[in-house]
Amino acid sequence: YKRQAFGWYDWTPPRTYDVILVDGPFHGHRLAGVDAITTASAENGVIFVDDTNRRPERQLAEQLANRLNRRVTHHDRWSQVG
């Protein structure tokens, strides 16, 4: 993955967060957000990814879990990382 500027994913989080909700963009570059999301997640934080019944969102959840060395749990239409 080569970091590129993709709108709201091209930012440095001001701090870390205990809970992050990822919802969208439907037609966007989802995997571009991995760097920003992993940087924003607190050490023991939880990330919820919506719409993981779709392949790109499921891949995003898997990539986040892999990058953060955390477990991913898939549900009907969403997944939990951490």
Side-chain angles (χ1 to χ4, degrees), residues 6 8-9 24-33 56-57:
F6 289 110
W8 60 78
Y9 289 135
F26 180 68
H27 294 291
H29 298 278
R30 292 161 192 85
L31 294 180
E57 284 80 359

Side-chain angles (χ1 to χ4, degrees), residues 34-71:
V34 170
D35 286 340
I37 297 166
T38 55
T39 300
S41 180
E43 185 176 335
N44 294 312
V46 177
I47 303 169
F48 296 98
V49 183
D50 193 28
D51 300 320
T52 55
N53 54 308
R54 297 190 296 239
R55 180 182 288 177
E57 284 80 359
R58 185 172 285 252
Q59 290 173 331
L60 174 60
E62 296 285 345
Q63 183 70 26
L64 290 169
N66 184 41
R67 182 80 65 92
L68 293 166
N69 195 29
R70 297 182 190 166
R71 189 174 79 171

Side-chain angles (χ1 to χ4, degrees), residues 10-29:
D10 188 28
W11 66 288
T12 301
R15 64 184 188 92
T16 60
Y17 299 90
D18 295 326
V19 177
I20 297 175
L21 173 62
V22 180
D23 186 12
F26 180 68
H27 294 291
H29 298 278

